[in-house]
């Protein structure tokens, strides 16, 4: 299990991406991560788990285990899967409150800002918001 | 206006490209290859300069000032209407309404003409390949009227199934609206035949000519369509301006779509008398600059000549088709016999979004997704989207070679 803090995980990703000096290498790495993303159960691949606002289909679910939130997701596009893989790597297995407070600025630091900007059709913002929404739900339960 | 280039001469693309400053730039460190022309075309200097010239020399409101400047603006505005009339070969400028674009034009027809023509239990026919702009207004009208919207089916090649169309018509059919050229498939539809069939049953026909305007000679008299709508920005003109053609007898009978200034003849506290055609449909201060500059876009197209544009673009399409076949593993969506320079495709095994993302990094602008024809892509072709490359007169075979190189690279990366 990943015991690193969100910040440490973000730094790790930034370091991994710094090994590639052009976008092609970075994309190839993203595609590799996408292909390796564990598949989610088919039962989650329906509208109830769909993240709206992406050009490709994205399904995402989260479960609480021992006070930590664990995400699983899938997409029909490989680059999107790569992006999801990064998001899951950073956020999964953390406390809901920590997830809510994560600024996710690593996306700007991996050198793909032009390509992965929140305005793009990749649905990056939609995915992050969707993941934080789960955290908010469980964070509320903790308070109650 | 200069005489058109002789029809037998091909366009000197290198020289033509000098008129499009935007094409000189680099994106992501690579020369821009702009293949998203079906979404909007780039603008030549004559159009860009016309915007500045308008604001620097004659900017003022139209149809109301007695001052000279207002008269000059009004003259330029009406002069552009005359150019639009001639562009579509309409009988009179009374039949030419300036609108915001194709969507606005179709909404006007649906709200005004549709509202008075279609009643409960009636039927409206459109096709499966309609852009949302020629689908959603009719869905809305039919919902309001409790009428039925029927769709002409599309075959595997992306052509309208005409026998099915014929059998759909009955005494309840009150209106037909079809697209001239599909923005997704590139299919040029047999609209003249559709209109003839419809008119033999006394059914009026609306033509969505958004994609046709930059590629084909529009001729409302020859087609005998009842309405036609298209946008300026897809035919080298500005955004926010479009043309709606309507037969005068229809426009006369139709109630106004929007109400306010400009569209009135006289107003009292008790009642209002509406203005004559076409002003009855141009409420409020119009897009004066847009309308005037649209005239420059018409000049640009007519100077090149429709046949030259067509021949030039067909060469591009042929080149793309040949290269795609050579590469292999590329499925083209839309293989109609009569097609224009739009090529929708899927690299087999690669999501359109992935293909589009890599092409973007290579400086190649294509569109990915549903192209505002979601039912066609999702329900008819059962696809998650397509990649669409759409060519304009300034594109080159060299640019298509770059696209082909990109697709080869993509196949290596993903497969």
């Amino acid at each position: 299990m990943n015991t690193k803090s969100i910040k440490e995980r973000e730094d790790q990703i930034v370091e991994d991406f710094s090994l590639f000096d052009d976008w092609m290498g970075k994309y190839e790495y993203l595609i590799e991560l996408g292909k390796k993303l564990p598949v989610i159960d088919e039962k989650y691949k329906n509208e109830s788990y769909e993240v709206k606002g992406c050009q490709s289909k994205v399904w995402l679910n989260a479960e609480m285990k021992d006070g930590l939130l664990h995400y699983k997701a899938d997409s029909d596009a490989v680059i999107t899967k790569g992006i999801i893989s990064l998001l899951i790597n950073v956020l999964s297995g953390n406390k809901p409150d920590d997830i809510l407070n994560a600024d996710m600025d690593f996306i700007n630091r991996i050198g793909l800002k032009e390509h992965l900007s929140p305005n793009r059709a990749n649905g990056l913002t939609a995915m992050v918001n969707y993941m934080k929404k789960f955290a908010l739900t469980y964070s509320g339960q903790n308070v109650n | 206006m200069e005489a058109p280039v002789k029809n037998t001469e091909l366009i000197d693309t290198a020289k033509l490209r000098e008129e499009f400053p935007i094409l000189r730039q680099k994106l992501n460190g690579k020369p821009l290859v702009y293949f998203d022309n079906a979404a909007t075309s780039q603008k030549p200097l004559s159009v860009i300069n016309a915007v500045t010239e308008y604001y620097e020399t004659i900017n003022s409101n139209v149809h109301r000032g007695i001052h000279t400047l207002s008269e000059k603006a009004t003259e330029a505005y009406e002069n552009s209407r005359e150019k639009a009339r001639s562009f579509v070969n309409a009988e009179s400028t009374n039949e030419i309404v300036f609108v915001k674009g194709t969507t606005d034009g179709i909404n006007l027809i649906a709200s005004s003409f549709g509202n008075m023509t279609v009643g409960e239990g009636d039927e409206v026919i459109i096709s499966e390949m309609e852009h949302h702009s020629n689908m959603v207004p009719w869905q809305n009208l039919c919902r309001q009227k409790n009428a039925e919207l029927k769709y002409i089916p599309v075959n595997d090649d992306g052509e309208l199934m005409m026998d099915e169309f014929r059998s759909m018509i009955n005494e309840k059919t009150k209106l037909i609206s079809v697209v001239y050229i599909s923005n997704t498939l590139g299919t040029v539809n047999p609209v003249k035949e559709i209109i003839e069939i419809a008119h033999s049953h006394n059914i009026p026909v609306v033509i969505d000519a958004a994609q046709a305007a930059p590629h084909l000679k529009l001729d409302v008299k020859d087609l005998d369509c009842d309405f036609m709508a298209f946008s300026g920005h897809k035919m080298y003109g500005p955004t926010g301006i479009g043309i709606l053609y309507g037969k005068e007898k229809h426009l006369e009978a139709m109630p106004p779509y929007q109400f306010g200034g400009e569209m009135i003849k006289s107003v009292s506290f008790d009642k209002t008398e509406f203005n004559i055609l076409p002003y009855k449909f141009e409420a409020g201060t119009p897009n004066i600059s847009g309308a005037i500059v649209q005239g420059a876009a018409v000049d640009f197209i007519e100077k090149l000549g429709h046949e030259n544009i067509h021949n030039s673009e067909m060469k591009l399409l042929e080149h793309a088709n040949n290269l795609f076949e050579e590469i292999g593993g590329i499925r083209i969506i839309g293989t109609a016999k009569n097609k224009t320079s739009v090529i929708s495709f899927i690299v087999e095994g690669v999501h359109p979004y992935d293909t589009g993302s890599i092409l973007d990094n290579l400086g190649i602008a294509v569109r990915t997704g549903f192209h505002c024809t979601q039912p066609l892509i999702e329900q008819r072709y059962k696809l998650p989207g397509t990649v669409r490359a759409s060519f304009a007169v300034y594109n080159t075979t060299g640019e298509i070679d770059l696209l082909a190189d990109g697709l080869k690279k993509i196949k290596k990366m993903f497969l």
Side-chain angles (χ1 to χ4, degrees):
Chain A
M1 205 175 97
N2 198 337
T3 54
K4 285 181 182 165
S5 72
I6 288 180
K7 196 80 213 150
E8 285 167 336
R9 296 180 192 192
E10 289 189 307
D11 291 342
Q12 182 62 53
I13 288 173
V14 173
E15 201 186 312
D16 292 346
F17 271 87
S18 71
L19 296 173
F20 308 98
D21 42 16
D22 65 348
W23 69 268
M24 197 67 149
K26 289 177 189 193
Y27 258 85
E28 271 165 347
Y29 181 53
L30 210 52
I31 290 164
E32 198 185 305
L33 290 176
K35 285 181 178 168
K36 277 198 268 181
L37 184 74
V39 284
I40 57 166
D41 200 298
E42 283 297 319
K43 70 178 178 192
Y44 295 115
K45 288 189 178 181
N46 63 58
E47 213 167 322
S48 321
Y49 296 94
E50 208 177 302
V51 183
K52 306 280 179 195
C54 311
Q55 221 187 60
S56 47
K57 293 245 187 242
V58 175
W59 305 274
L60 195 140
N61 187 37
E63 281 171 8
M64 276 290 267
K65 223 183 274 170
D66 305 325
L68 302 176
L69 198 52
H70 297 270
Y71 294 97
K72 273 192 177 165
D74 202 352
S75 170
D76 56 353
V78 179
I79 293 173
T80 312
K81 277 174 86 160
I83 298 169
I84 297 169
S85 166
L86 297 179
L87 298 178
I88 290 184
N89 190 323
V90 168
L91 294 180
S92 204
N94 284 290
K95 290 181 194 143
D97 284 338
D98 292 340
I99 292 169
L100 283 173
N101 291 327
D103 62 8
M104 310 297 280
D105 82 318
F106 77 98
I107 295 155
N108 297 335
R109 292 194 282 139
I110 58 175
L112 283 174
K113 197 181 168 188
E114 275 172 43
H115 314 286
L116 302 183
S117 83
N119 297 329
R120 292 266 174 146
N122 57 39
L124 186 63
T125 310
M127 282 190 268
V128 172
N129 288 343
Y130 199 82
M131 291 173 94
K132 288 200 171 191
K133 220 166 90 185
F134 273 107
L136 190 66
T137 310
Y138 288 106
S139 164
Q141 279 179 8
N142 284 351
V143 175
N144 293 336
Chain B
M1 211 179 82
E2 291 170 50
V5 184
K6 253 175 68 191
N7 282 344
T8 46
E9 289 171 27
L10 267 185
I11 291 162
D12 180 349
T13 316
K15 206 169 149 226
L16 182 71
R17 287 176 72 86
E18 287 171 18
E19 294 180 42
F20 289 83
I22 202 168
L23 299 175
R24 287 176 215 146
Q25 70 180 301
K26 288 191 169 186
L27 277 189
N28 302 321
K30 316 228 168 29
L32 165 66
V33 174
Y34 188 77
F35 284 159
D36 197 16
N37 295 288
T40 195
S41 69
Q42 298 303 343
K43 321 302 171 198
L45 277 170
S46 59
V47 167
I48 298 168
N49 292 339
V51 181
T52 317
E53 195 190 326
Y54 165 73
Y55 283 111
E56 282 185 354
T57 58
I58 57 168
N59 173 52
S60 59
N61 215 327
V62 290
H63 303 133
R64 54 186 74 173
I66 59 143
H67 57 84
T68 310
L69 212 52
S70 171
E71 272 174 23
K72 279 187 176 173
T74 304
E75 197 187 323
Y77 184 80
E78 292 305 325
N79 186 25
S80 179
R81 196 191 305 274
E82 166 54 27
K83 280 181 186 173
R85 182 208 63 76
S86 150
F87 187 71
V88 300
N89 194 28
E91 188 67 36
S92 148
T93 49
N94 288 349
E95 299 176 318
I96 304 294
V97 180
F98 283 122
V99 289
K100 285 191 284 182
T102 311
T103 302
D104 191 34
I106 293 171
N107 272 281
L108 190 159
I109 305 164
S111 297
S112 178
F113 187 75
N115 191 47
M116 63 183 240
T117 315
V118 179
E120 190 172 342
D122 285 341
E123 294 176 0
V124 174
I125 296 176
I126 62 171
S127 84
E128 287 182 343
M129 67 167 82
E130 299 309 319
H131 187 283
H132 296 163
S133 64
N134 194 32
M135 184 177 287
V136 185
W138 303 116
Q139 285 180 342
N140 186 52
L141 176 73
C142 290
R143 188 180 47 78
Q144 283 174 347
K145 295 282 182 173
N146 224 349
E148 194 187 341
L149 186 59
K150 289 180 153 182
Y151 299 90
I152 309 168
V154 172
N155 69 17
D156 288 343
D157 285 328
E159 295 163 326
L160 293 180
M161 296 166 79
M162 293 297 284
D163 288 342
E164 277 75 358
F165 165 62
R166 281 187 194 89
S167 64
M168 284 164 87
I169 296 177
N170 59 49
E171 70 286 353
K172 288 187 278 183
T173 313
K174 290 288 152 33
L175 214 142
I176 294 166
S177 187
V178 284
V179 68
Y180 202 151
I181 295 179
S182 160
N183 70 309
T184 299
L185 307 167
T187 311
V188 182
N189 286 320
V191 288
K192 193 172 175 179
E193 190 186 342
I194 290 171
I195 293 162
E196 271 171 19
I197 296 167
H199 284 180
S200 71
H201 295 85
N202 290 319
I203 304 163
V205 182
V206 181
I207 300 296
D208 166 0
Q211 296 296 332
H215 301 293
L216 295 180
K217 169 69 191 143
L218 301 178
D219 190 333
V220 295
K221 258 189 225 158
D222 178 53
L223 293 178
D224 198 25
C225 57
D226 295 272
F227 296 95
M228 177 184 277
F230 57 98
S231 306
H233 73 96
K234 290 188 201 290
M235 52 172 284
Y236 311 101
T239 52
I241 192 76
I243 307 293
L244 170 64
Y245 159 81
K247 278 185 180 167
E248 195 161 345
K249 62 170 183 182
H250 294 316
L251 294 178
E252 278 293 359
M254 283 158 62
Y257 168 51
Q258 288 181 324
F259 300 82
E262 283 275 301
M263 53 78 68
I264 46 88
K265 200 180 269 174
S266 75
V267 181
S268 74
F269 287 127
D270 310 315
K271 66 178 176 66
T272 291
E273 201 183 331
F274 301 131
N275 207 339
I276 53 166
L277 288 177
Y279 313 112
K280 183 170 89 173
F281 294 105
E282 293 180 2
T285 294
N287 181 356
I288 304 166
S289 150
I292 291 172
V293 176
Q294 170 63 10
V298 168
D299 289 344
F300 172 79
I301 288 184
E302 291 190 335
K303 193 176 148 193
L304 286 174
H306 284 96
E307 205 175 326
N308 288 318
I309 294 174
H310 178 75
N311 291 342
S312 214
E313 290 174 343
M314 290 320 273
K315 273 201 159 48
L316 296 173
L317 183 65
E318 194 189 330
H319 190 66
N321 277 330
N322 290 343
L323 285 185
F324 281 19
E325 203 178 311
E326 232 175 83
I327 297 167
I330 295 174
R331 179 182 162 195
I332 295 172
I333 323 299
T335 45
K337 275 175 227 84
N338 196 0
K339 247 193 98 162
T340 188
S341 57
V342 170
I343 187 160
S344 245
F345 63 94
I346 282 184
V347 179
E348 310 247 29
V350 184
H351 194 282
Y353 168 77
D354 288 329
T355 305
S357 299
I358 301 301
L359 289 178
D360 175 53
N361 280 288
L362 295 167
I364 302 168
V366 291
R367 178 145 175 203
T368 62
F370 300 130
H371 323 296
C372 296
T373 55
Q374 191 173 356
L376 177 74
I377 303 273
E378 242 180 2
Q379 289 171 270
R380 171 61 184 86
Y381 286 105
K382 314 260 183 258
L383 293 169
T386 74
V387 183
R388 182 187 70 187
S390 49
F391 312 127
V393 68
Y394 44 67
N395 287 126
T396 67
T397 51
E399 288 180 306
I400 294 171
D401 293 342
L402 291 174
L403 171 65
D405 289 346
L407 295 178
K408 284 182 206 156
K409 209 169 272 179
I410 286 162
K411 286 184 77 175
K412 264 193 210 130
M413 284 173 90
F414 288 91
L415 300 175

